[in-house]
Amino acid sequence: MYFKISLLLLLLSISSSKSKMEAFIVGGKEVDIGAWPFIAFIESSHIKFHMVAACGGSLLSSQTVLTAAHCLDDVTDSKTDMSSFRFRIYMGHSSYHRSNMIRLMRQYETPSEYDPHDEDVKGDIGIIFLASPVKFSPSVKKVILFDQRFSYNRDRILLVAGWGKTGPNMISPTSPHLKNIRIHSISPEECKKEIPFIDVSLVVCTAAANEYAYSGDSGGPMVKRGSRYQLGVVSFRHEDTGITVFTSVPEYYDWIQTTQLYLFTKNCK
């Protein structure tokens, strides 16, 4: 069994193509935005039904944000009707509701191979194009993408952060303050043995632990400790093993660059 970390907060009345749960930081500690100046809180709402969902993201440029593909598809179900939804992106404050840097989404893109109905969650990565550029500051900075193949080592310590739920069930409260945890990577071979249906060449897997990203953190950045280098995007937690799976940024580095150029060319004429 596995669950995408889709971070749905109030959409419990909407049916989904898969069984999903929210993504969040269970355990961990509160951190200041100065340690994560590139992180974003993505809130989407259905204008007519007043239902809200949330995800994490990372600032790629003054007008693009990296997130998970399923963060977008879980809410809109398709790209054909965006008029019923509003996406608001919060940046620059560890308590996102106090942020003064808020932007709306104009457009988004996901990889052609991404299919929300596929079990292997291939291509679970997306880019949001903001309606207007952000203003950079000490608390609002671009993330740095890791563009080399990740070297797997079980002892490698990585970090992930978010505002999601703080306990392992649906009634657990969400965190009003940004939190982060340390996690440890595992080898592709070990990950494939435990989760046979995924393509381990496209993901980074981290070991089961008492602290983990799960409900409220989908799309958020996983970084190399002590840096702004992003290695992964929160995708899902495999419930049977406790392994958390991240879409690999190095593997999608070229797609990210090409897609950003496309979005800027299309929207900044």
Side-chain angles (χ1 to χ4, degrees):
M1 178 183 292
Y2 81 99
F3 294 97
K4 286 185 180 178
I5 308 177
S6 56
L7 320 185
L8 298 185
L9 302 181
L10 299 176
L11 294 178
L12 300 182
S13 63
I14 294 181
S15 62
S16 175
S17 60
K18 288 186 177 182
S19 178
K20 298 168 184 172
M21 289 185 66
E22 303 179 17
F24 56 89
I25 296 296
V26 172
K29 63 179 182 179
E30 293 185 355
V31 290
D32 187 76
I33 197 64
W36 294 82
F38 47 85
I39 199 166
F41 181 87
I42 302 168
E43 178 185 78
S44 58
S45 57
H46 192 287
I47 296 172
K48 181 178 180 180
F49 298 108
H50 306 291
M51 288 184 271
V52 180
C55 269
S58 54
L59 190 62
L60 289 171
S61 72
S62 64
Q63 218 163 344
T64 51
V65 171
L66 189 68
T67 188
H70 77 262
C71 288
L72 302 160
D73 287 340
D74 281 348
V75 179
T76 63
D77 195 34
S78 73
K79 292 185 181 181
T80 59
D81 183 17
M82 293 294 296
S83 62
S84 298
F85 297 88
R86 179 179 291 112
F87 289 78
R88 292 164 63 90
I89 295 87
Y90 299 76
M91 293 156 285
H93 204 292
S94 55
S95 298
Y96 70 89
H97 58 279
R98 297 174 60 187
S99 172
N100 291 321
M101 189 64 64
I102 306 171
R103 296 292 186 268
L104 296 179
M105 181 178 78
R106 177 182 294 179
Q107 186 182 356
Y108 72 86
E109 291 292 328
T110 57
S112 59
E113 69 266 28
Y114 175 72
D115 183 343
H117 303 283
D118 282 349
E119 184 181 55
D120 63 6
V121 296
K122 185 179 295 182
D124 190 14
I125 193 168
I127 296 178
I128 289 173
F129 192 82
L130 305 177
S132 60
V134 303
K135 296 179 180 179
F136 293 119
S137 70
S139 61
V140 179
K141 298 180 180 180
K142 296 187 296 183
V143 75
I144 303 171
L145 299 182
F146 198 87
D147 61 355
Q148 300 175 12
R149 187 169 296 277
F150 182 59
S151 176
Y152 288 86
N153 185 324
R154 183 168 183 108
D155 296 325
R156 184 183 290 275
I157 298 176
L158 307 167
L159 297 176
V160 63
W163 287 272
K165 289 182 178 290
T166 56
N169 57 63
M170 296 297 291
I171 63 173
S172 300
T174 56
S175 176
H177 198 285
L178 181 65
K179 298 174 69 179
N180 75 193
I181 55 170
R182 293 184 177 188
I183 51 180
H184 296 265
S185 62
I186 60 175
S187 70
E189 293 78 16
E190 183 176 353
C191 189
K192 186 68 173 179
K193 180 180 178 180
E194 298 293 337
I195 316 177
F197 61 83
I198 63 171
D199 183 346
V200 292
S201 69
L202 300 176
V203 299
V204 177
C205 298
T206 59
N210 292 327
E211 297 183 331
Y212 47 88
Y214 184 43
S215 183
D217 304 317
S218 269
M222 181 260 281
V223 301
K224 185 178 179 181
R225 182 175 60 165
S227 76
R228 285 160 52 196
Y229 283 91
Q230 183 171 353
L231 295 167
V233 174
V234 181
S235 183
F236 72 92
R237 183 171 184 265
H238 190 251
E239 288 291 276
D240 293 344
T241 63
I243 292 173
T244 302
V245 178
F246 299 78
T247 303
S248 171
V249 165
E251 292 298 331
Y252 284 93
Y253 182 84
D254 290 341
W255 177 86
I256 294 169
Q257 302 304 330
T258 301
T259 303
Q260 283 196 95
L261 178 59
Y262 165 76
L263 288 168
F264 272 102
T265 301
K266 182 176 180 180
N267 291 284
C268 298
K269 295 180 180 179

